[in-house]
């Protein structure tokens, strides 16, 4: 016989999404369980680049990383062209964090405020009674546990343990195509030589090294760095670990590793947000809701943002005693999709184009000032392509010389579709009754866009 625990809210997964939600809800007076399969030293254990922008903390009221959780202050990003001859310095404050220390702090604050934390507890599946989601089944050691709750939260990351086991006709059960994810791998290492400018994290765009992604060197101090790469899934590219060992390790700046502290890889979704983060008695946030920035793959801050909107929607659902999609839970969708989601959908359009460019085209674009440092920043903040269109007009002949006269037209198309995608998400349906129609319009837009660029994946 399984043990049964009754709660108001059960949060499955205590990574950036789940533990932020537990933290946000800790003083709500609700009876909350936070469940994760790892032990306390495995909290926030997913491999990551560990970089996060400061604005996320201000936007969500989450505590700034400090003490053991803060590894390094970041002043900006240096973006390198494939030849590394062009460097764009994009200023913007952020942090390199020690994920486990930050996550442990959140879990401990939530626990102190009364959230029940169940670690080393593996959630197997959602439990439905008469077609209604009522709980989850879990195992802890030899013990079977049934957690029952009015709101069940999937915060299990890319695997979406609950989402993917919900009925197929529920729109939250939306598959993730391999081409819409990056397979990433990183090592945290001590380097032999001092790192120059350790307060600037470095991104290297190079389709031959990291096809459909990029490789990075993010300093955690003047001698320790998080170095890794991501490649687009589903295209038959080599595994990033193989590329790391065979190509990156040959570079002086990467290869002079005197100690390896951590070494792992994982998949990260890089697409527009899931069609819905909410269904009856269900909330799904973080990587399983595809809340990652499609261009740079940063997901911690957006997981925190989704958790912030989720906490407000959940509190209102309890005030209204309505846990269906027709009640206040839907406000999570409205808050997230019309804010961050609109920007991410637009950046997804850009991502699809970027993944098709050759090194030569990227080099040329960066060399000729088609995208400047401030434009790169603006594009990532607003989700609108801030390319230098006046330059584009002047360099028509150069496009011809490059053998890509169509590139100019493509950029105009990309910019137009970025705006259209953003518009659709800004008009995210007010009620679930209009979701189906909205999904059809989004899918049609993406089909049309890919058709125009001749993309078949
Ligand atoms: P996450 O996967 O972090 O957490 C899910 C939790 O659920 C885990 O604790 C897991 O144990 C638990 N769980 C899963 N299944 C379970 C089950 N059956 N039962 C119980 N618990 C279960 N982002 C960023 O902001 N900056 C960066 O620099 C990078 N760099 C980066 C590099 C690499 C290599 C990768 C793979 C990813 C990144 N990211 C990133 C993305 C970032 O790591 C990611 O978006 C967040 O960790 C997502 O947080 P979640 O809480 O959604 O999932």
């Amino acid at each position: 016989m399984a043990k049964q625990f009754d709660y108001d809210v059960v949060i499955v997964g205590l990574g950036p999404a789940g533990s932020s939600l537990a933290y946000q809800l800790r003083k709500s007076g609700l009876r909350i369980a936070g469940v994760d399969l790892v032990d306390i030293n495995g909290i926030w254990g997913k491999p990551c680049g560990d970089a996060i922008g400061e604005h996320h903390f201000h936007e969500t009221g989450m505590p700034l990383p400090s003490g053991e959780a803060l590894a390094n202050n970041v002043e900006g990003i240096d973006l390198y062209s494939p030849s590394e001859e062009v460097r764009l310095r994009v200023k913007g404050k952020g942090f390199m964090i020690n994920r486990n220390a930050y996550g442990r702090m959140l879990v401990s604050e939530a626990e102190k405020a009364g959230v029940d934390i169940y670690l080393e507890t593996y959630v197997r599946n959602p439990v439905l009674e008469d077609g209604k989601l009522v709980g989850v089944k879990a195992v802890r050691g030899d013990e079977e546990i049934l957690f029952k709750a009015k709101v069940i939260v999937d915060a299990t990351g890319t695997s979406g343990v609950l989402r993917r086991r919900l009925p197929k006709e529920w729109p939250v059960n939306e598959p993730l195509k391999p081409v819409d994810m990056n397979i990433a791998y990183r090592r945290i290492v001590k380097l032999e030589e001092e790192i120059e400018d350790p307060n600037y994290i470095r991104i290297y765009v190079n389709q031959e090294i990291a096809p459909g992604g990029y490789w990075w060197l993010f300093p955690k101090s003047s001698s320790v760095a998080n170095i890794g790469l991501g490649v687009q899934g589903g295209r038959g590219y080599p595994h990033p670990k193989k590329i790391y060992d065979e190509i990156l390790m040959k570079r002086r700046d990467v290869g002079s590793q005197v100690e390896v502290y951590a070494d792992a890889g994982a998949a990260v979704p890089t697409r527009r947000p899931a069609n819905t983060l909410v269904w009856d008695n269900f909330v799904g946030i973080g990587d399983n809701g595809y809340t990652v920035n499609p261009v740079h793959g940063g997901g911690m801050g957006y997981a925190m943002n989704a958790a912030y909107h989720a906490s407000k929607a959940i509190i209102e659902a309890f005030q209204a005693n309505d846990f269906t999609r027709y009640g206040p839970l839907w406000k999570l969708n409205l808050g997230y999709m019309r804010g961050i989601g609109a920007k991410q959908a637009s950046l997804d359009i850009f991502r699809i184009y970027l993944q098709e460019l050759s090194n030569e085209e990227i080099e040329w674009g960066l060399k000729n000032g088609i995208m400047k440092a401030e434009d790169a920043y603006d594009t990532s903040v607003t989700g609108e392509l801030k390319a230098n269109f006046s330059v584009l007009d002047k360099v028509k002949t150069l496009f011809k010389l490059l053998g890509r006269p169509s590139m100019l037209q493509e950029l105009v198309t990309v910019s137009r579709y970025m705006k259209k995608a953003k518009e659709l998400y800004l008009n995210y349906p007010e009620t679930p009754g209009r979701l189906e129609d909205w999904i059809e319009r989004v899918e049609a837009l993406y089909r049309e866009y890919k058709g125009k660029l001749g993309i078949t994946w």
Side-chain angles (χ1 to χ4, degrees), residues 287-336:
D287 280 9
N288 77 80
Y290 315 145
T291 55
V292 178
N293 180 307
V295 169
H296 60 57
M300 293 188 282
Y302 304 107
M304 277 161 43
N305 190 286
Y308 166 79
H309 288 291
S311 69
K312 290 188 173 309
I314 289 171
I315 289 170
E316 272 197 53
F318 277 91
Q319 283 160 352
N321 197 28
D322 182 349
F323 310 102
T324 69
R325 60 191 186 273
Y326 300 102
L329 285 184
W330 196 253
K331 290 191 180 173
L332 160 58
N333 276 336
L334 297 178
Y336 189 81

Side-chain angles (χ1 to χ4, degrees), residues 2 4 7 29 71 76 79 89 95 121 159 173 217 264 289-290 310 319 331 371 392 396 418 431:
Q4 183 176 323
Y7 285 97
L79 180 75
R89 176 159 281 197
F95 308 104
T121 307
S159 59
N173 191 344
L217 190 154
Y290 315 145
Q319 283 160 352
K331 290 191 180 173
M371 190 170 262
L392 291 184
K396 267 186 194 154
M418 283 176 78
T431 58

Side-chain angles (χ1 to χ4, degrees), residues 12-18 35-38 42 44-52 99 121-124 155-159 161 184-186 216 218 264-268 285-288 292 297-301 303:
V12 183
L14 293 170
V35 187
D36 203 302
L37 59 87
V38 296
W44 282 50
K46 178 177 177 155
C48 183
D50 303 329
I52 181 165
R99 280 182 49 124
T121 307
Y122 176 79
V123 171
R124 277 193 176 140
T156 59
T158 311
S159 59
V161 171
Y185 171 81
R186 69 92 179 90
W216 69 83
F218 293 172
V268 61
I285 49 171
D287 280 9
N288 77 80
V292 178
M300 293 188 282

Side-chain angles (χ1 to χ4, degrees), residues 175-181 271 290 450 457:
L176 175 62
K177 291 203 283 181
V179 289
D180 287 334
M181 53 174 117
R271 51 156 276 176
Y290 315 145
K450 284 188 174 179
W457 43 267

